[in-house]
Amino acid sequence: MTLWDLNPNQHAKVSKLGLDKAISQRLSDMGFSQLTDVTCLFVTAFGGPRVYQVGESLLSLSREMAQNIEVS
Amino acid sequence: MIQRYYLLGKPNSGKTLLFNRLTESEKKVANYSGATTVENKALIPGSQIELIDLPGFYSSEVFSDDEKLALSKASQTQNADTGFLYVIEALKLKSGLINALTLIKKLSIDINKVQFVFNMIDELELNKINLPQNEIESILKRPCHFVSALTKKNLTELKMNLLSLDTFPNLSIEDLESIQNNLSSLKLTPTSSFALKNSTRLDRYLLSPLWGSVFFIFIMSALFQSIFSWSSPFMDAIEWSLSGISQGVAGVLGEGFWANFFIDGIITGFGAFVIFTPQIFILTFIIKCLEASGYLARATIICHKSLRFFGLSGESFIPLLSSHACAIPGILAAKSIKSKKEKWITMLCLPLTVCSARLPVYALLIYMFIPPIYYLGGLFGSQGLAFLSLYLFGITLTLIGSFLLSRTLIPNKGQDPFILELPSYRWPEFFNIAKTSFKVCIQFIKDAGPMIFFANLGLWFLAQFPLSQTQFSESYLARMGRWLTPLMEPLGLAWEHGVALLTSFLARETFVSTLSTIYSSKNDDPMALKELLIQSQSLTWASGLALIVFFAIALQCVSTLAILKKELPKKFSVTMIFIVYLFAAYTLAWMTYQIFS
Ligand SMILES: Nc1nc2c(ncn2[C@@H]2O[C@H](COP(=O)(O)OP(=O)(O)OP(=O)(O)O)[C@@H](O)[C@H]2O)c(=O)[nH]1
Ligand SMILES: [Mg+2]
């Protein structure tokens, strides 16, 4: 399952970042590291970026990013 | 001895507000990531210590210009006289510290030069959370300051501390590891629910697929239409006081050359432009309130997908919005766009948005052509709606421009690595924002003022001489102006407009003051420019539209060209950009006139 598959208010744990090295590094510096809990909060119109809660932060990711983050 | 401190930290942690407080500066503070894109420097008053505010960054992997700048400064640790203030949001203390320590290690920043500033403690107090300050300081073994840049709490202590010499144990790389380990055992009141509570109350609606879009469109139309509706009383007041001044001058000087000079040459010309400052005030005020509220990050998300279709991205939204006040802050804001191509496209097309210097011209034409009619009990008016459509026209041109560029010269089909942190919603400080907006207006007058003054003076003299003239059409101005006729005729315009267009290349606002000087020299009765123009019947609907089209497109602003030259790579020739814009402006204005006449 990927992050993009989460419905609003659904929780999961990040299991793998399938993006290139630089972006993965940046994501994990922003809080998306392995085993962290994420919650999908808001889904916007037309497949636009979605909003997730990671720890104390709210982060918004585009489809391309969220589809490459595996969660379980 | 430390001579300078760099402010490091994540975006939106309050570095710039802290900088402003400590150095008594007024740099741009806004409630979204990427508000600062250049470095700000200033001395702490009463000392020789320099404080340097940098753009924020999250990671050692950086993509945008502003983050690259911050990273390069943060890595300069070899200088013995340089220190760092690491700013961390108190509500995100633990994750902020983990991130900070990771970066300190990764960038080999000397931990002995770092002091930690936990900012926004007012938000902790609001949520009734206590921080174990002593425990945190003993884990970190470095100076820790718990402050609120907003309420100024503990700022004096922070300042004193920066000025005094502190002795702290020297730490090594191994110590850093143990600090990181100890940190994980630090128990804090969990704060994640506060961010969530703050956001969900509003975002449930503001980000919902349907209501989110409706609200977005509503806010944007209200912004542009209120510039017009709300400013009328203020404009009337200015007009009233200007005519009072003219009468006063006439009373003192009587009639004749000097009275003429002051009234037609200076007051009328200057007034023609000063009268539009209320609109600039309102525009600036609303944009600054939006910036402070935290909504703009939401707006970025909402329009990301649609902007991508036009070759831009959500990140272009804030630059485009700021450019409605002035293109220059817009171009600077574009420096925080991660994709290089999207950044170039944004910078190249953003001069097509309606900046406030175009406002006087548009407003004049609207007052001339559109009779005021009010709907819904005064909430919407015909003139306000006309104004809104001119703004939409500017936005449409920008989007068409970026669409074309992204499909031709700057092919941009790449990936979509969009990631954005949403700030908490915050109440704008209305009074302070009003104060800043007022200063913006004063600055606006100061910037364009001298240009307008001298242009008017020159024009007025050309209109008065030779003294032997019996009619205005014999004056030097009229004789020279008529050379422009062949260029203006195809647009349905007269030479007077030609002269005004020429002077508007000095500063766009000069257009109205030039027209005002020319027409009031022609006419003996003192009248507002609007009436003068109506009376002269020199503009028809079609030529008025042609004029708008020309103004909407031509890149007449020297400062914009200068900053484009600085921010764009060499391959974009600024002269070429200017010519392309001018050519497009003239051709489209010509087409407009041909179609509508
Ligand atoms: N409540 C509260 N808000 C604060 C405080 N300090 C800053 N803010 C707000 O936080 C937001 C961000 O402040 P900035 O100073 O622009 O943040 P920055 O770290 O310079 O951000 P970037 O330039 O994007 O890196 C603004 O809305 C500020 O008003 C504080 O102590 N308390
Ligand atoms: Mg800043």
Side-chain angles (χ1 to χ4, degrees):
Chain A
M1 195 165 71
T2 72
L3 195 57
W4 192 254
D5 299 321
L6 291 185
N7 291 320
N9 294 326
Q10 210 179 336
H11 308 262
K13 267 193 200 318
V14 176
S15 52
K16 195 171 153 234
L17 299 176
L19 291 144
D20 74 52
K21 225 177 110 202
I23 297 184
S24 301
Q25 177 62 46
R26 190 189 170 94
L27 273 174
S28 72
D29 284 333
M30 288 179 83
F32 272 101
S33 38
Q34 275 192 16
L35 297 181
T36 38
D37 283 312
V38 275
T39 313
C40 176
L41 292 181
F42 306 107
V43 172
T44 58
F46 316 120
R50 294 184 176 174
V51 180
Y52 301 92
Q53 181 188 12
V54 184
E56 298 135 341
S57 314
L58 305 182
L59 296 174
S60 168
L61 296 183
S62 63
R63 180 188 188 128
E64 208 175 292
M65 299 282 271
Q67 279 183 334
N68 282 302
I69 298 177
E70 285 186 24
V71 297
S72 54
Chain B
M1 175 77 191
I2 301 278
Q3 297 289 351
R4 76 182 70 81
Y5 283 100
Y6 283 103
L7 287 163
L8 305 181
K10 284 191 189 181
N12 217 43
S13 51
K15 298 179 291 301
T16 307
L17 188 59
L18 190 66
F19 172 85
N20 284 348
R21 297 290 198 222
L22 292 177
T23 64
E24 293 164 21
S25 317
E26 294 183 338
K27 297 297 175 192
K28 179 177 176 172
V29 170
N31 195 8
Y32 55 78
S33 306
T36 310
T37 58
V38 292
E39 61 178 341
N40 301 316
K41 291 182 183 183
L43 287 180
I44 297 180
S47 78
Q48 288 303 309
I49 294 184
E50 191 178 38
L51 204 59
I52 303 164
D53 174 36
L54 293 173
F57 60 98
Y58 289 102
S59 167
S60 52
E61 294 298 336
V62 290
F63 300 96
S64 57
D65 290 353
D66 56 343
E67 292 175 329
K68 282 180 194 159
L69 169 78
L71 203 65
S72 73
K73 298 288 171 182
S75 319
Q76 284 175 4
T77 53
Q78 61 277 34
N79 301 337
D81 57 357
T82 305
F84 297 94
L85 292 180
Y86 218 113
V87 183
I88 293 169
E89 268 183 71
L91 266 179
K92 300 180 181 173
L93 188 137
K94 196 154 173 184
S95 64
L97 263 180
I98 293 174
N99 179 271
L101 290 170
T102 316
L103 285 174
I104 287 171
K105 206 156 121 189
K106 189 107 171 221
L107 303 173
S108 340
I109 296 175
D110 182 354
I111 179 80
N112 294 307
K113 292 182 173 170
V114 178
Q115 308 195 19
F116 293 95
V117 179
F118 300 98
N119 188 24
M120 309 194 186
I121 53 167
D122 57 302
E123 294 190 337
L124 284 182
E125 285 158 12
L126 208 69
N127 291 306
K128 303 200 172 53
I129 301 176
N130 277 320
L131 279 183
Q133 301 192 353
N134 292 335
E135 191 185 345
I136 294 170
E137 190 154 16
S138 70
I139 289 181
L140 290 172
K141 302 195 181 74
R142 295 294 309 154
C144 291
H145 312 280
F146 297 84
V147 306
S148 163
L150 187 73
T151 64
K152 303 187 186 167
K153 186 161 181 186
N154 296 347
L155 284 191
T156 329
E157 289 81 350
L158 170 60
K159 206 153 134 183
M160 301 308 287
N161 258 299
L162 294 185
L163 302 185
S164 69
L165 262 183
D166 263 323
T167 41
F168 268 81
N170 240 338
L171 300 175
S172 62
I173 302 277
E174 293 79 53
D175 293 325
L176 195 57
E177 304 252 341
S178 76
I179 291 176
Q180 277 179 312
N181 291 335
N182 295 342
L183 191 64
S184 50
S185 62
L186 177 69
K187 292 269 176 297
L188 293 175
T189 324
T191 52
S192 51
S193 60
F194 297 111
L196 196 63
K197 204 169 71 192
N198 175 299
S199 147
T200 30
R201 258 186 321 193
L202 286 169
D203 283 334
R204 212 172 342 151
Y205 307 103
L206 298 187
L207 283 178
S208 93
L210 176 65
W211 292 115
S213 319
V214 171
F215 184 78
F216 176 77
I217 293 170
F218 172 78
I219 273 280
M220 291 301 134
S221 359
L223 162 65
F224 293 128
Q225 114 103 35
S226 54
I227 298 170
F228 215 81
S229 339
W230 294 358
S231 58
S232 306
F234 301 102
M235 295 175 74
D236 292 344
I238 295 180
E239 195 165 349
W240 182 79
S241 32
L242 281 172
S243 75
I245 296 176
S246 300
Q247 275 165 9
V249 172
V252 173
L253 294 178
E255 279 190 23
F257 187 84
W258 288 111
N260 237 338
F261 168 73
F262 274 108
I263 297 172
D264 292 350
I266 296 183
I267 302 177
T268 326
F270 214 69
F273 136 84
V274 169
I275 194 160
F276 296 103
T277 43
Q279 306 191 327
I280 292 161
F281 176 85
I282 292 173
L283 175 78
T284 318
F285 181 79
I286 302 181
I287 291 186
K288 288 204 176 293
C289 287
L290 284 174
E291 284 177 349
S293 69
Y295 179 68
L296 293 188
R298 276 74 183 180
T300 298
I301 300 180
I302 290 171
C303 57
H304 175 71
K305 207 59 198 219
S306 353
L307 285 177
R308 268 187 67 76
F309 174 78
F310 293 101
L312 301 167
S313 87
E315 291 176 309
S316 317
F317 175 78
I318 292 177
L320 288 179
L321 184 72
S322 342
S323 68
H324 283 89
C326 174
I328 293 161
I331 291 170
L332 288 179
K335 290 177 73 148
S336 69
I337 298 177
K338 286 185 212 74
S339 142
K340 225 191 263 168
K341 287 181 173 171
E342 278 161 14
K343 182 183 74 194
W344 294 340
I345 298 176
T346 309
M347 285 183 178
L348 284 169
C349 295
L350 147 168
L352 287 168
T353 53
V354 179
C355 69
S356 40
R358 286 182 175 108
L359 251 157
V361 185
Y362 287 0
L364 178 71
L365 294 173
I366 289 178
Y367 277 129
M368 273 183 67
F369 285 113
I370 316 264
I373 305 169
Y374 292 96
Y375 317 102
L376 293 180
L379 194 62
F380 285 91
S382 55
Q383 295 184 327
L385 290 178
F387 216 55
L388 175 62
S389 39
L390 285 180
Y391 274 108
L392 286 180
F393 180 59
I395 294 165
T396 313
L397 286 173
T398 313
L399 293 179
I400 294 176
S402 50
F403 183 85
L404 292 178
L405 272 182
S406 67
R407 283 354 181 238
T408 54
L409 292 178
I410 312 180
N412 177 30
K413 276 239 171 89
Q415 300 151 311
D416 182 13
F418 179 86
I419 175 157
L420 181 75
E421 178 162 7
L422 296 186
S424 300
Y425 284 106
R426 296 194 166 97
W427 274 109
E429 297 185 272
F430 296 108
F431 180 71
N432 279 341
I433 293 179
K435 233 166 54 184
T436 334
S437 310
F438 187 73
K439 282 189 191 148
V440 168
C441 290
I442 301 290
Q443 195 56 41
F444 191 70
I445 298 176
K446 273 193 193 155
D447 286 347
M451 206 79 99
I452 289 178
F453 180 78
F454 287 113
N456 277 3
L457 212 62
L459 288 166
W460 187 81
F461 273 101
L462 286 175
Q464 297 303 312
F465 290 93
L467 280 172
S468 60
Q469 64 176 313
T470 48
Q471 278 176 323
F472 176 70
S473 61
E474 289 168 13
S475 66
Y476 290 136
L477 181 63
R479 285 190 226 170
M480 280 153 72
R482 278 194 290 269
W483 296 340
L484 291 170
T485 309
L487 267 178
M488 289 297 113
E489 226 160 21
L491 310 184
L493 298 171
W495 66 263
E496 289 90 340
H497 308 123
V499 174
L501 278 180
L502 264 190
T503 56
S504 69
F505 278 88
L506 297 174
R508 284 193 180 99
E509 309 85 317
T510 320
F511 183 84
V512 283
S513 56
T514 303
L515 276 187
S516 165
T517 307
I518 297 180
Y519 281 103
S520 57
S521 306
K522 263 178 155 180
N523 196 308
D524 289 336
D525 302 324
M527 266 189 260
L529 178 55
K530 165 174 74 163
E531 275 103 43
L532 285 170
L533 283 177
I534 294 175
Q535 202 194 44
S536 71
Q537 295 187 332
S538 58
L539 277 178
T540 60
W541 257 99
S543 55
L545 283 179
L547 200 57
I548 287 180
V549 170
F550 185 87
F551 255 93
I553 301 172
L555 210 178
Q556 296 171 299
C557 175
V558 185
S559 340
T560 305
L561 286 167
I563 193 143
L564 279 178
K565 189 179 165 91
K566 187 165 158 257
E567 298 300 337
L568 286 171
K570 285 237 163 41
K571 64 180 174 186
F572 299 101
S573 145
V574 174
T575 324
M576 259 332 268
I577 297 173
F578 176 74
I579 293 173
V580 169
Y581 264 96
L582 192 63
F583 179 78
Y586 191 84
T587 326
L588 289 172
W590 175 77
M591 280 164 54
T592 312
Y593 181 67
Q594 299 304 324
I595 293 170
F596 288 93
S597 66

